[in-house]
Amino acid sequence: MNKLEELKKIIDSLNNFAIVSHTSPDGDSMGSILSLYNLLIDLNKNVDVFVEGQAPYKFSYLSGFYNIKNISQSNSRYDCLFVLDCGDEDRLGECKDLLNRTDIIINIDHHITNNSFGNINIIDAKASSVGEILFELYKNLNYKITKEIAECLYTSIVSDTGGFKFSNTSSKTMRIVADLIDTGINFTNIYYRIMDLKTLNGIKLISKVTSTLKIYLDGKVATMKLTKQMLEECQTKEDEAGELVNIVRDIESVEVGILIKEVDIDTYKISFRSKDYFDVKDIALKYGGGGHIKAAGCTIKNKSIDEIEKELIDEIKKAWVKYNEWNN
Ligand code: 5GP
Ligand code: MN
Ligand code: MN
């Protein structure tokens, strides 16, 4: 039996499903989990969909958003757990416990660093987003892609392609998007919400974060910092300010942009972005993180924000020396 047939058999024969994605869910996570939630509900299955902490309100327009559960709201067992857009078990945070409460784990992802932790692993590192992988699976399994499901998949694809401009966008991506648009979704509204919309407090946060900008390696590398105090002062959440790390990457001279974000006492989440050629995933992997060549992340604990910044710049300098040796 190939993976598609196995998947079909599982969906047809089982009844109790759970769906989850990585911590701090982004547009691909939210769109993927809710597309599958809507699909399984349409098939009359029992489904619980989980997010760690609070689901980002930015995605409240997606059907099923208000049915998302917190892990503390359930101790059920499931026949099958779908883990979407998540490279490894630890990226599930508090939701990791779901792995012990299911008979089958299906891991569907597009991270090249995925460690294949599922019983069935469907990993396509060429796909722009998990939304793109799911679209193909739904089509191949002859499931109906309703307008609600199309809104979710469109959200996934727009989010992970940065509005169809990153190099992970392919002609196939655009053909899928064309099919999604044909279901009658309000694609201009969704695009605007994901790519452009910010709150007033989000704009105030952008001003604070950009004031921390530092430039290294003749302008090729730049960092910005986001502290919990800034969020409190602006009474905002990070997602109200859009993708802050993109601001650093988009500076003309910059190849590598870094956002260092305080998430807890002595705990920092790092976001890396590169513009054209630098492999930021390799830096993230050194700290137990992962991701893609041009977008990666990790968490660093028990160091000060300044120590972390210095260390990361040193790592990047070393990697740059190697890169130059290989390419000259
Ligand atoms: P972001 O900077 O938006 O949080 O993440 C960029 C990319 O790297 C995303 O594809 C995300 O899933 C991945 N990523 C971020 N942090 C981690 C991490 O700690 N571990 C792994 N494996 N991947 C991460
Ligand atoms: Mn993601
Ligand atoms: Mn993704």
Side-chain angles (χ1 to χ4, degrees):
M1 225 181 339
N2 67 28
K3 282 186 188 176
L4 202 64
E5 288 164 348
E6 260 184 286
L7 196 60
K8 172 114 185 105
K9 193 171 157 224
I10 286 169
I11 295 176
D12 284 350
S13 64
L14 301 178
N15 254 316
N16 297 309
F17 293 89
I19 310 169
V20 70
S21 183
H22 61 77
T23 61
S24 307
D26 50 31
D28 189 24
S29 320
M30 294 298 295
S32 297
I33 59 173
L34 289 175
S35 80
L36 186 57
Y37 173 78
N38 286 307
L39 185 115
L40 293 173
I41 290 289
D42 290 346
L43 295 171
N44 292 316
K45 303 291 177 179
N46 297 324
V47 197
D48 280 342
V49 58
F50 293 95
V51 158
E52 189 195 56
Q54 239 188 339
Y57 187 70
K58 185 176 173 173
F59 301 105
S60 59
Y61 63 90
L62 293 174
S63 175
F65 179 87
Y66 291 101
N67 297 333
I68 292 176
K69 285 190 176 170
N70 213 263
I71 195 71
S72 59
Q73 289 171 276
S74 155
N75 48 20
S76 313
R77 268 202 71 84
Y78 300 93
D79 300 328
C80 171
L81 170 72
F82 284 94
V83 185
L84 308 180
D85 195 38
C86 183
D88 60 68
E89 298 94 321
D90 285 340
R91 282 275 283 159
L92 291 173
E94 283 177 7
C95 293
K96 194 174 169 183
D97 186 43
L98 286 170
L99 298 172
N100 305 318
R101 293 206 247 138
T102 184
D103 297 336
I104 303 170
I105 298 166
I106 303 183
N107 166 19
I108 305 179
D109 192 22
H110 67 131
H111 291 99
I112 199 165
T113 52
N114 192 294
N115 68 4
S116 297
F117 58 86
N119 302 109
I120 298 179
N121 301 287
I122 301 176
I123 319 289
D124 179 1
K126 288 208 178 74
S128 68
S129 51
V130 172
E132 190 173 315
I133 302 175
L134 290 176
F135 176 90
E136 295 227 291
L137 288 177
Y138 301 164
K139 275 269 164 197
N140 290 333
L141 293 168
N142 289 319
Y143 292 131
K144 184 172 163 50
I145 298 181
T146 60
K147 196 171 154 187
E148 287 73 25
I149 294 174
E151 284 168 349
C152 295
L153 297 176
Y154 183 77
T155 295
S156 281
I157 297 174
V158 171
S159 300
D160 265 17
T161 59
F164 315 126
K165 69 173 181 281
F166 296 157
S167 53
N168 59 1
T169 313
S170 65
S171 57
K172 184 168 142 195
T173 314
M174 298 313 253
R175 280 186 204 102
I176 291 172
V177 169
D179 283 350
L180 295 176
I181 288 177
D182 281 343
T183 64
I185 60 172
N186 189 342
F187 58 91
T188 42
N189 180 268
I190 297 177
Y191 190 98
Y192 180 70
R193 281 169 183 268
I194 297 170
M195 297 305 298
D196 302 313
L197 192 70
K198 291 164 190 74
T199 64
L200 184 57
N201 287 341
I203 295 290
K204 290 179 186 163
L205 183 67
I206 291 176
S207 152
K208 283 197 192 288
V209 171
T210 50
S211 72
T212 68
L213 179 73
K214 279 198 185 166
I215 300 287
Y216 298 92
L217 272 93
D218 303 323
K220 289 201 287 286
V221 182
T223 62
M224 288 198 315
K225 300 187 193 85
L226 167 61
T227 62
K228 285 176 89 168
Q229 191 183 341
M230 290 177 192
L231 292 171
E232 274 160 33
E233 281 169 5
C234 298
Q235 298 201 335
T236 186
K237 295 208 172 73
E238 190 194 343
D239 65 21
E240 293 183 27
E243 277 259 322
L244 287 164
V245 65
N246 290 353
I247 298 176
V248 214
R249 184 208 50 206
D250 290 341
I251 299 167
E252 193 179 20
S253 64
V254 168
E255 170 59 20
V256 178
I258 304 172
L259 179 70
I260 308 174
K261 202 172 20 177
E262 183 188 17
V263 287
D264 215 331
I265 300 162
D266 281 340
T267 305
Y268 295 89
K269 169 87 207 331
I270 321 293
S271 283
F272 300 94
R273 297 291 184 274
S274 65
K275 199 181 273 158
D276 290 317
Y277 55 90
F278 192 91
D279 188 343
V280 286
K281 154 189 84 11
D282 280 354
I283 307 285
L285 278 170
K286 286 202 167 140
Y287 293 92
H292 314 278
I293 291 173
K294 293 182 182 177
C298 61
T299 299
I300 302 181
K301 291 185 181 177
N302 303 320
K303 283 184 185 151
S304 75
I305 198 161
D306 292 332
E307 279 173 325
I308 290 173
E309 181 168 26
K310 187 177 174 307
E311 215 178 287
L312 291 177
I313 298 299
D314 286 346
E315 285 295 342
I316 290 179
K317 275 186 192 159
K318 273 193 259 168
W320 225 296
V321 170
K322 269 196 196 146
Y323 178 87
N324 286 335
E325 280 167 5
W326 286 332
N327 290 280
N328 287 321

